[in-house]
Amino acid sequence: MRTTLDVQFECFASPLNCHFAWHCSAFPDTDNAFGSLGSFFDFHPTTGSFEANPPYIPEIMSSMTDHMTALLLASEKPLSFVVVVPVWEECEYWKALVESAFNARSHLVWTAEAHGFCDGAQHTRPAHQRYRPSSFATAIFFWQNSAGAKQYDTARFCSYFCPSQDHLSSCTHGFVSRFHSH
């Protein structure tokens, strides 16, 4: 994401799991010394490329889609969000993500069995327990305004995972599970 979509910022992180110098977090009063700019819901960028992997709480994910919609509507500058969420098709956030005019392309989906993740509490675990199998299928959406779609090439990002654009749903390279049971 960093090299192909110029993502430089995480919308939902903490000092213990962020990948970038700057991020939004749930506890800005304590996290600001470590790069937090506050809550995502108080963050109002007008340009840039951002990654959003919110807590898997339907109400937070719905609020996230509402906030992103407002941000994308308000900006004429290049603005892009790479959104990572569980595939919970019955939830409102899912419908909003799929049906939005800002959904730049078909989303990518990985089955739970096909990928894993680095546990949010990895700093408290032994190295061999850092990764966990996923409990849910996971999707990546690309939300962009018109200028963002011109600036940030989602096709290039997707081709990294899946050389054939006709097979987006089979992409697994970057999300393959690193979980190893012992």
Side-chain angles (χ1 to χ4, degrees), residues 2 5 7 18 33 39 43 55 57 63 79 85 98 100 144 156 167-168 174 176-177:
R2 186 179 309 196
L5 293 176
V7 169
C18 64
S39 168
F43 181 59
I57 300 170
S63 294
L79 189 56
V85 292
V98 170
S100 174
Q144 302 175 314
R156 184 171 166 228
H167 299 94
L168 286 177
V176 73
S177 180

Side-chain angles (χ1 to χ4, degrees), residues 8-174:
Q8 303 287 325
F9 191 96
E10 293 171 88
C11 299
F12 297 90
S14 83
L16 300 175
N17 71 1
C18 64
H19 294 280
F20 300 105
W22 303 104
H23 59 277
C24 287
S25 71
F27 304 103
D29 55 332
T30 56
D31 296 349
N32 66 358
F34 305 101
S36 174
L37 297 183
S39 168
F40 172 67
F41 302 107
D42 296 326
F43 181 59
H44 298 279
T46 57
T47 188
S49 184
F50 304 89
E51 182 266 345
N53 186 356
Y56 287 7
I57 300 170
E59 295 80 8
I60 290 176
M61 292 184 282
S62 289
S63 294
M64 174 197 69
T65 61
D66 292 344
H67 186 57
M68 285 180 181
T69 297
L71 294 171
L72 289 160
L73 285 170
S75 181
E76 294 181 16
K77 297 177 182 177
L79 189 56
S80 178
F81 294 95
V82 179
V83 183
V84 181
V85 292
V87 178
W88 294 344
E89 295 176 351
E90 69 283 356
C91 292
E92 288 301 315
Y93 79 85
W94 182 265
K95 294 172 190 154
L97 284 167
V98 170
E99 296 172 3
S100 174
F102 296 115
N103 187 13
R105 64 177 309 111
S106 178
H107 53 280
L108 306 174
V109 174
W110 287 268
T111 65
E113 301 78 30
H115 76 291
F117 63 95
C118 184
D119 190 285
Q122 78 273 6
H123 58 284
T124 65
R125 301 180 186 280
H128 71 277
Q129 293 179 354
R130 184 174 179 199
Y131 296 98
R132 297 186 50 198
S134 182
S135 301
F136 309 103
T138 299
I140 295 183
F141 287 85
F142 305 94
W143 268 30
Q144 302 175 314
N145 62 11
S146 296
K150 291 176 186 167
Q151 178 79 25
Y152 306 109
D153 185 3
T154 60
R156 184 171 166 228
F157 175 79
C158 291
S159 69
Y160 172 77
F161 290 103
C162 184
S164 170
Q165 290 300 300
D166 296 331
H167 299 94
L168 286 177
S169 63
S170 67
C171 299
T172 59
H173 179 73

